[in-house]
Amino acid sequence: MPLPKPPSKKGDLLQAADYEAQAAPRAEKRSMKSRASDATPAPAALELRDGGTAVAARPAAPVAAAPVAAPAAAAPRMPAEPRAKARKPRSTGPAKLFVLDTNVLMHDPMSLFRFEEHDVFLPMITLEELDGHKKGMSEVARSVRQVSRELDALATFDKQTGGTDPSEGILLGKTGHREAGGKLFFQTTLLDVKLPAGLPQGKADNQILGVVQSLRERFPQREVVLVSKDINMRVKARALGLPAEDYFNDKTLEDGDLLYTGVLPLPADFWDRHGKTMESWQQGGHTYYRISGPIVPALLINQFVYHEVPGGPNLYAKVTEITGKTAVLKTLRDYTHGKNAVWGVTARNREQNFALSLLMDADCDFITLTGTAGTGKTLMTLAAALSQVLDERRYSEIIVTRVTVPVGDDIGFLPGNEEEKMGPWMGALDDNLEVLARSDSSAGEWGRAATNDLVRSKIKIKSLNFMRGRTFLNKFVIIDEAQNLTPKQMKTLITRAGPGTKIVCLGNLAQIDTPYLTEGSSGLTYAVDRFKGWPHGGHVTLARGERSRLADYASDVL
């Protein structure tokens, strides 16, 4: 087949108008059903007015954008609002009106766009409180400044659409957040507040409660709800007969019992239902099983499975591959035996054996271990880190960090450099190093001292305050007490990992000391839920304590 002729002249350059024409959204094809729905009369709009001044207006139907424009023959088509790809409303009734407390915006700067097709109302006292917290380098000040930037972008005059009128509401999706289909309303007039005489009128919380009550009286057909992270604020609102809710969008899980455990017991009839179509082979000292059956859809990569039969052979394996309707199980090394001890540490129960298998796996870059006090999280992680740093030379050094949240009253200023200031917070590290040093009884006093010096030289203690912007290359990073991290802090730490780095997060979700954090909103819960099923990550929930009989009994009854 002959080649086409070469071009005889140069191509023409596109003008600026051509670029804009290509970037503009095309007119969508509308079906007869949609035209018929457009022909139905629109419900009456709900206007928030005080005398002759408009406060806010919102149609009763949960429409995410402006009405459909006129045909192209009558007027040029403007750039489409985010209505075309907005999320389908969950409810068919009038959209709710959520009144946000200041602490919600401080907690999540993007909370304005988390209410789907519903509207958001900001009292003026909320903006005043935001203005009072914008200065400083704390996390709260950063969140407030981000909220201010988002509000400035929403309230800016738009030349293309003809402007932004606060009295008619501002489309929350105009800045690109298409998941938000509602409108934003500001309080622009003084509302008639009638609260009980016992409540101080000058307090900010009471003023917000007055705004909620005034809106409910003006518009009884709409559901007005207060959203606050302050428990006392919600209690006062419900005592006054006002609906109040917590901000739930920051919660990964509603119930901590639903958290992924990383371990799945196989049914008693597993061999009977899966044995006929099972393939098995041996490679590298491990036995592999390829199974296909009803249990495959419930499996995840790097999830541990076990099958225990009294008086019979037990199966302890890890899911290494899932392809279509088949999965591959790989048997584990028995770390409960002394010959497989890791830096002198052996597993004492099933979950500890699973945890050591993950910690010693060079293919796992991110590991999370949760469990009650005394389950061996720190000891096993430190033993695996020393074994891979000093014996196998897989990593160059160990970096240990944790959140500095005191359990009781703060003891004040700590002298010294960064590592010396972090020393009092690393008591758990020192205790476990003593246990690991006593395990080598044949080295003698001088040998143990030399080993301690060598181990200390390979462990670096760092503070979370100086982690931003760093990159860890070929390091074994241990994040202790990770349940006190927020999801944003957890993301900051995990993204510090460079090539060849392993990150291990340890924590007990029953011991959260950070305010406004729960089991459902903790950064550790967030990481466990987001990384489940990733081929290079794993999680194990340690169930049984091995510290002492006193500690085990105390954790159960106290």
Side-chain angles (χ1 to χ4, degrees), residues 239-527:
L240 296 173
L242 304 176
E245 295 180 2
D246 191 6
Y247 180 66
F248 296 104
N249 193 266
D250 62 329
K251 291 180 172 56
T252 306
L253 297 173
E254 292 295 334
D255 189 357
D257 296 335
L258 302 176
L259 184 63
Y260 171 66
T261 62
V263 180
L264 179 67
L266 296 176
D269 57 348
F270 171 74
W271 296 111
D272 297 335
R273 302 184 64 179
H274 300 80
K276 297 181 180 179
T277 59
M278 182 181 297
E279 303 176 14
S280 64
W281 67 94
Q282 291 186 350
Q283 180 180 350
H286 299 275
T287 303
Y288 293 82
Y289 299 96
R290 187 182 300 276
I291 62 173
S292 60
I295 199 174
V296 173
L299 299 178
L300 295 172
I301 298 293
N302 285 340
Q303 186 178 24
F304 293 94
V305 296
Y306 66 92
H307 185 267
E308 296 177 343
V309 179
N314 299 328
L315 173 65
Y316 303 100
K318 182 176 70 170
V319 181
T320 59
E321 179 185 341
I322 297 178
T323 306
K325 298 182 179 180
T326 63
V328 177
L329 307 180
K330 174 186 175 183
T331 58
L332 305 176
R333 178 178 295 179
D334 186 13
Y335 287 100
T336 61
H337 199 279
K339 67 178 181 179
N340 295 325
V342 179
W343 202 262
V345 175
T346 57
R348 294 187 179 182
N349 54 54
R350 179 180 59 234
E351 284 76 17
Q352 286 188 355
N353 190 31
F354 295 159
L356 284 175
S357 300
L358 274 182
L359 292 169
M360 298 302 294
D361 189 356
D363 223 17
C364 282
D365 300 333
F366 181 74
I367 299 171
T368 51
L369 300 180
T370 61
T372 60
T375 50
K377 302 182 296 293
T378 308
L379 181 64
M380 289 188 300
T381 304
L382 192 57
L386 291 174
S387 176
Q388 295 176 80
V389 169
L390 296 177
D391 293 344
E392 302 178 13
R393 304 294 178 90
R394 188 178 297 167
Y395 307 100
S396 60
E397 64 180 2
I398 304 170
I399 295 178
V400 185
T401 185
R402 60 162 291 176
V403 186
T404 55
V405 179
V407 177
D409 295 334
D410 200 349
I411 62 176
F413 173 75
L414 296 175
N417 55 22
E418 178 187 1
E419 191 158 345
E420 292 172 349
K421 289 178 185 293
M422 292 293 296
W425 299 99
M426 291 300 171
L429 175 65
D430 298 332
D431 297 340
N432 287 281
L433 285 178
E434 291 180 6
V435 174
L436 295 175
R438 287 201 307 266
S439 61
D440 189 7
S441 59
S442 61
E445 191 68 25
W446 183 87
R448 283 196 296 269
T451 303
N452 288 338
D453 293 340
L454 178 61
V455 167
R456 288 287 184 181
S457 66
K458 290 295 184 179
I459 298 178
K460 298 293 186 298
I461 301 175
K462 301 296 181 182
S463 174
L464 288 175
N465 300 335
F466 311 105
M467 287 295 183
R468 191 178 296 276
R470 297 196 59 182
T471 302
F472 298 127
L473 301 176
N474 200 31
K475 302 288 193 296
F476 195 106
V477 182
I478 302 175
I479 304 175
D480 201 6
E481 303 295 336
Q483 77 275 2
N484 290 321
L485 290 170
T486 64
K488 188 174 181 180
Q489 290 173 329
M490 181 66 74
K491 179 181 178 181
T492 302
L493 289 177
I494 298 176
T495 52
R496 302 305 101 205
T501 293
K502 181 194 290 285
I503 295 182
V504 182
C505 295
L506 314 175
N508 180 11
L509 291 172
Q511 296 179 349
I512 297 179
D513 303 316
T514 304
Y516 295 112
L517 277 187
T518 61
E519 293 185 16
S521 60
S522 171
L524 183 58
T525 305
Y526 180 75

Side-chain angles (χ1 to χ4, degrees), residues 553-558:
Y553 185 73
S555 62
D556 292 337
V557 301
L558 295 180

Side-chain angles (χ1 to χ4, degrees), residues 116-182:
E116 298 182 344
E117 74 271 15
H118 302 290
D119 296 338
V120 175
F121 187 91
L122 289 185
M124 198 55 63
I125 189 62
T126 298
L127 300 179
E128 294 290 343
E129 286 191 306
L130 288 176
D131 187 67
H133 291 85
K134 65 182 180 182
K135 297 181 181 179
M137 298 300 296
S138 63
E139 194 70 25
V140 172
R142 294 190 185 97
S143 298
V144 169
R145 290 193 292 268
Q146 184 176 350
V147 171
S148 300
R149 290 191 291 267
E150 295 291 343
L151 292 176
D152 179 65
L154 287 170
T156 302
F157 183 85
D158 195 342
K159 295 181 180 179
Q160 293 182 347
T161 59
T164 296
D165 188 0
S167 63
E168 297 180 357
I170 303 172
L171 288 174
L172 288 169
K174 62 173 288 188
T175 56
H177 300 275
R178 299 190 175 184
E179 69 277 6

